[in-house]
Amino acid sequence: MPVRIIHVGLGGWGGNWARTAIPEVSEVEVVGIVDPVAATLDAVRTDLGLPASAAFASLTEALAGVEADAVVITAPAVTHVPLALEALDAGKHVLVEKPFANTAEEAATAVRRAEELGLVLQVSQNYRWYPAPRVVTELLEADAVGEVATIDVDFRQWDNDLPFEEHPHYRFPHAMINDMAIHHFDLMRMITGREPVRVYARASSPSFSKYQDEAIASMLIELEGGLVVSYRGSWLSRAPRTAWAGEWSIQGSDGELWFTSRSGEPNAVEGDRVTIRRTQDDEAEPVELPTMEHTDRQGGLQAFARSVTGGAEPETSGRDNLRSLAVMEAAQRSAESGVPEDVVVPE
């Protein structure tokens, strides 16, 4: 029997979730949709072929109006924790879009509540659900390039053309760090199996930027054991674009492991690539990648459904995601203070 879900937040990216991601996962069934904007709500309801009785202006109304097992939250980030707490207090499991919250301590309130109630709380860190980073994780676990000495990560996109009023990211607080680099922080933790302990970040905002906050950031991120990651990210780069997961060079005693992932539209895996180079003079050899049943948001949603129905705790549980959020916070603090900041994970 599929997990019955209420989907909250249908504008923009949430509408994309509703129309293209959720319908692909047979383990879930949408029994209610929620959005405060009547036109948005009706458009999604019509596209999904749902009855008027399944559409609600608020989560409170939906919880009272339909029988559900879980709530999927794709509303604006500032609403994530309040909505999650309401759903949890109603006895529902929760899947929430990233970033989980704008502070780790706020997110921790929902994590604690889910644990008290014995409910699943998962964050959609969709970049994990692609073949390249999953293969790289396995290769590093197997010491494929020996002792890892350094990791370099580059992310480059140009996203500065729409008017400020129409752009979905211009007003996002610290858009480079909070909205984009959170993906890369999470991948960093996944592939290395190490937790970040300290971040030194510098952010900048050229005069032509339309972003409310800095859209360029460079960071040194120290992981457990002293491994240092060099990170460069920009929403304002005129250099060749990277894929959304960036370009990663992982250098060890026995060679270099290089990968990129999530190019193009969501679920596009054609651009995923992994190579191994043994010395500076060797050709990089491609690594074969597996075919995955579900990628991107669908992969995370499938994992959520299986966890709700008695499976293992999701790898991107709310508890685990506090560590990715804590890196984001440390980077933000360092960019503002100009000094390295420790990664502080709330209990």
Side-chain angles (χ1 to χ4, degrees):
M1 180 177 175
V3 174
R4 300 166 298 175
I5 64 171
I6 295 169
H7 180 195
V8 184
L10 310 174
W13 190 235
N16 187 279
W17 265 87
R19 295 178 176 94
T20 68
I22 295 175
E24 295 297 318
V25 181
S26 61
E27 287 98 325
V28 302
E29 174 190 3
V30 176
V31 296
I33 55 174
V34 177
D35 199 277
V37 179
T40 299
L41 184 64
D42 191 59
V44 172
R45 183 191 66 77
T46 300
D47 288 347
L48 298 184
L50 293 172
S53 59
F56 304 92
S58 71
L59 176 57
T60 303
E61 294 175 17
L63 291 168
V66 295
E67 292 293 325
D69 307 301
V71 174
V72 173
I73 300 169
T74 61
V78 294
T79 69
H80 286 179
V81 170
L83 288 170
L85 288 170
E86 181 178 0
L88 292 166
D89 286 339
K92 312 304 179 188
H93 305 281
V94 173
L95 173 64
V96 61
E97 250 288 10
K98 68 82 208 165
F100 188 174
N102 284 324
T103 71
E105 186 53 49
E106 182 191 11
T109 62
V111 171
R112 296 179 195 121
R113 191 65 179 139
E115 291 173 348
E116 289 169 4
L117 297 170
L119 295 167
V120 175
L121 173 57
Q122 178 180 328
V123 181
S124 177
Q125 290 286 173
N126 53 312
Y127 285 22
R128 289 194 182 210
W129 300 98
Y130 278 84
R134 300 196 82 79
V135 164
V136 168
T137 301
E138 294 172 357
L139 289 169
L140 289 179
E141 287 175 348
D143 294 325
V145 290
E147 179 184 346
V148 176
T150 189
I151 299 176
D152 298 324
V153 185
D154 282 293
F155 169 81
R156 298 182 302 274
Q157 289 284 332
W158 174 265
D159 197 18
N160 197 48
D161 291 326
L162 289 177
F164 181 87
E165 296 75 17
E166 299 175 14
H167 199 283
H169 297 118
Y170 287 166
R171 288 181 295 275
F172 201 102
H174 303 283
M176 187 63 246
I177 293 172
N178 290 27
D179 186 45
M180 195 66 234
I182 182 67
H183 283 297
H184 307 130
F185 299 150
D186 191 69
L187 282 178
M188 188 183 306
R189 296 180 51 242
M190 170 190 169
I191 66 170
T192 64
R194 303 194 199 191
E195 296 298 343
V197 297
R198 193 167 294 103
V199 182
Y200 177 53
R202 300 298 290 164
S204 59
S205 183
S207 62
F208 59 82
S209 174
K210 296 179 182 178
Y211 281 81
Q212 167 185 288
D213 293 331
E214 304 89 343
I216 301 172
S218 298
M219 307 176 221
L220 293 176
I221 303 167
E222 181 186 346
L223 308 185
E224 294 170 325
L227 178 62
V228 175
V229 178
S230 173
Y231 178 91
R232 298 184 299 180
S234 176
W235 277 120
L236 305 173
S237 176
R238 289 298 192 181
R241 295 176 187 263
T242 65
W244 293 102
E247 295 176 346
W248 296 63
S249 172
I250 304 166
Q251 301 145 44
S253 56
D254 298 330
E256 179 208 32
L257 187 56
W258 184 95
F259 84 94
T260 190
S261 178
R262 199 190 180 283
S263 63
E265 294 299 312
N267 304 108
V269 299
E270 295 80 9
D272 272 43
R273 288 191 293 137
V274 179
T275 65
I276 292 182
R277 184 193 311 272
R278 290 303 171 192
T279 76
Q280 291 174 326
D281 298 326
D282 291 335
E283 291 292 325
E285 297 291 333
V287 176
E288 185 176 356
L289 302 181
T291 299
M292 297 174 63
E293 180 183 5
H294 286 300
T295 55
D296 203 271
R297 294 164 293 173
Q298 289 94 313
L301 182 59
Q302 181 183 56
F304 175 69
R306 292 179 176 179
S307 183
V308 165
T309 53
E313 178 179 334
E315 64 180 72
T316 59
S317 69
R319 172 63 65 185
D320 178 84
N321 198 250
L322 291 179
R323 296 183 177 277
S324 295
L325 271 181
V327 184
M328 180 191 85
E329 271 196 319
Q332 213 175 289
R333 292 196 309 273
S334 179
E336 292 169 356
S337 70
V339 298
E341 295 283 351
D342 291 341
V343 176
V344 181
V345 183
E347 296 297 325

